[in-house]
Amino acid sequence: MSRKVSIQTLADQLGLSKYAVSRALSGKSGVSEATRSRVLELARASGYRTSIAMAKPDNQESPDDNREASFVLICMKQQNRGEPNYWERVLSGMLAACEERGWLHAIVSPPQELSPADVPAEQLIAPHVHWDQCIGIIVMGAFPYPLLQRMAAIQLPLVLVDHQEPLLQCDTVRHDDVNAGATASTFLQSQHCRRIGFITDDGRSASFLQRRIGVQLGVGGDFLQQGTTLLEWQVPYERGHWGDEVLKSLEQIPEDERPDGWIGANDDIALEWMETLQKHGYSIPEDCRVIGIDNVWGASLSAPPLTTIQLSKEELGARAIEALERRLHRPGAPVETIMLSTRLIPRKSA
């Protein structure tokens, strides 16, 4: 009895995506040899009509094949493009991982508000790309939930980088920001700091909020001596020039209650605050100690060099591509949250 066997039929029986089955049948990259063997075996057994025997390895693809190359859609905010200390390094790791797999990429900065609702999300997010060749979407950083919801409705694999959205069932790759904050506050206390000041901007990103939680947990840890106090300042980080405002509020605090250890939610904040303190006569680390989070390029070049928490930026981008690849091969697998560990880099500022 004859029956029609499609790529979707094979994908459903194998528990794979149509993308993985298609790549396996065509002899292209993006699937493991074990997966390719499973697909070809079932295709032959099912009577799937294809030129399996003529499938070409990647190094023998014709020019026509290149026009159908699969690509990853990478979404990032316009203001993060070209930012050298964090996002460009994450993107660098992501693009290197794409190249290893023979995947192309398209980078877009979608509008924060997607309207009208009757226009397909594909047209609003990236109207210029060939969506039938898109294998998945990677979102770098925080975007509004309605936008992420529209992206998820496209029904392509979706991976969030350095952001969490509990209402969406999608894979997430981020740093262990809670541990980074806890490490910073714990280290300052090990250096005999008992009054810690934390400068942040919670509204900027989920990672800043998680670092603040970590700082609070570190101050309350059982390992540490009792009596450590924590003061927090919220600043308009991206606007800049907030140092003098924090200094004015600091001068209203009795001198014996002012922080003797400072944590910036990232290195940029820590470096700007250290410079502000020095301009107003504070000596670091003699009068107070300062620590940041990120380990940006300039952290080791400041005077004194900034103690910080190492974040693996290029690795974060590479792991996002790995998460996308896993989702393509195992579309029904449980959603994962991958957290990369952080590491203390002690320098002279603390």
Side-chain angles (χ1 to χ4, degrees):
M1 180 183 296
S2 63
R3 56 178 178 150
K4 183 178 180 180
V5 180
S6 66
I7 289 180
Q8 186 63 63
T9 303
L10 298 176
D12 292 342
Q13 291 188 44
L14 292 167
L16 299 172
S17 66
K18 287 180 64 177
Y19 161 82
V21 173
S22 176
R23 301 292 285 188
L25 292 172
S26 63
K28 297 180 180 179
S29 62
V31 295
S32 67
E33 287 306 313
T35 298
R36 193 185 310 279
S37 296
R38 290 174 58 208
V39 172
L40 295 179
E41 182 179 354
L42 180 61
R44 291 190 181 97
S46 304
Y48 179 77
R49 295 188 176 183
T50 182
S51 55
I52 297 175
M54 299 181 63
K56 302 181 294 296
D58 288 335
N59 59 5
Q60 296 180 13
E61 287 182 351
S62 68
D64 288 341
D65 291 329
N66 293 332
R67 292 182 304 185
E68 299 179 357
S70 303
F71 73 91
V72 178
L73 187 71
I74 301 171
C75 300
M76 62 187 303
K77 291 181 179 179
Q78 186 64 40
Q79 60 264 37
N80 290 337
R81 291 198 182 194
E83 187 280 310
N85 289 323
Y86 189 84
W87 287 115
E88 278 299 310
R89 294 179 62 183
V90 175
L91 181 62
S92 174
M94 200 175 293
L95 300 187
C98 282
E99 185 175 355
E100 289 176 2
R101 291 158 176 79
W103 294 350
L104 301 180
H105 67 274
I107 304 173
V108 299
S109 297
Q112 298 295 294
E113 299 295 334
L114 287 185
S115 59
D118 58 341
V119 177
E122 293 92 331
Q123 295 183 24
L124 294 170
I125 295 169
H128 57 286
V129 305
H130 297 288
W131 279 94
D132 58 331
Q133 298 168 19
C134 181
I135 60 177
I137 304 171
I138 293 182
V139 180
M140 299 174 62
F143 279 87
Y145 172 71
L147 172 59
L148 297 177
Q149 191 177 35
R150 296 286 295 276
M151 290 183 182
I154 297 174
Q155 295 187 335
L156 286 171
L158 177 65
V159 178
L160 304 185
V161 180
D162 203 24
H163 183 64
Q164 287 181 291
E165 184 46 69
L167 296 179
L168 290 182
Q169 284 293 302
C170 62
D171 298 308
T172 301
V173 182
R174 61 184 180 87
H175 291 108
D176 191 349
D177 288 295
V178 172
N179 184 69
T183 299
S185 58
T186 300
F187 179 72
L188 284 180
Q189 290 171 93
S190 74
Q191 299 300 301
H192 310 292
C193 296
R194 292 293 172 263
R195 302 179 304 277
I196 295 177
F198 180 54
I199 304 178
T200 185
D201 181 0
D202 283 355
R204 181 176 182 270
S205 68
S207 61
F208 274 30
L209 177 59
Q210 291 162 353
R211 293 171 194 179
R212 178 164 70 87
I213 293 171
V215 168
Q216 294 170 341
L217 290 173
V219 169
D222 294 336
F223 163 76
L224 306 164
Q225 296 182 14
Q226 298 297 320
T228 302
T229 59
L230 176 65
L231 297 176
E232 299 180 4
W233 279 264
Q234 294 284 338
V235 301
Y237 162 62
E238 293 185 343
R239 191 188 72 190
H241 306 295
W242 45 262
D244 289 341
E245 297 176 11
V246 175
L247 191 66
K248 288 180 182 179
S249 67
L250 181 65
E251 291 173 346
Q252 298 176 7
I253 300 173
E255 188 170 350
D256 60 352
E257 297 179 11
R258 296 175 187 173
D260 54 5
W262 291 92
I263 302 171
N266 68 3
D267 283 353
D268 287 343
I269 291 176
L271 289 169
E272 182 168 344
W273 180 237
M274 187 163 66
E275 182 179 356
T276 300
L277 289 172
Q278 290 171 324
K279 284 182 179 179
H280 290 82
Y282 288 85
S283 180
I284 299 169
E286 290 77 13
D287 295 333
C288 59
R289 304 174 191 271
V290 180
I291 184 171
I293 298 174
D294 272 352
N295 195 27
V296 300
W297 298 118
S300 63
L301 304 177
S302 61
L306 180 67
T307 295
T308 186
I309 308 297
Q310 170 75 43
L311 302 182
S312 302
K313 305 165 192 67
E314 289 83 0
E315 180 67 15
L316 187 72
R319 291 302 297 273
I321 297 299
E322 290 179 13
L324 176 59
E325 185 175 43
R326 171 185 174 274
R327 183 57 51 191
L328 289 169
H329 295 164
R330 301 182 60 197
V335 169
E336 285 190 343
T337 295
I338 300 171
M339 287 198 299
L340 302 188
S341 61
T342 62
R343 180 169 60 92
L344 175 71
I345 308 292
R347 299 191 181 110
K348 292 183 179 180
S349 72

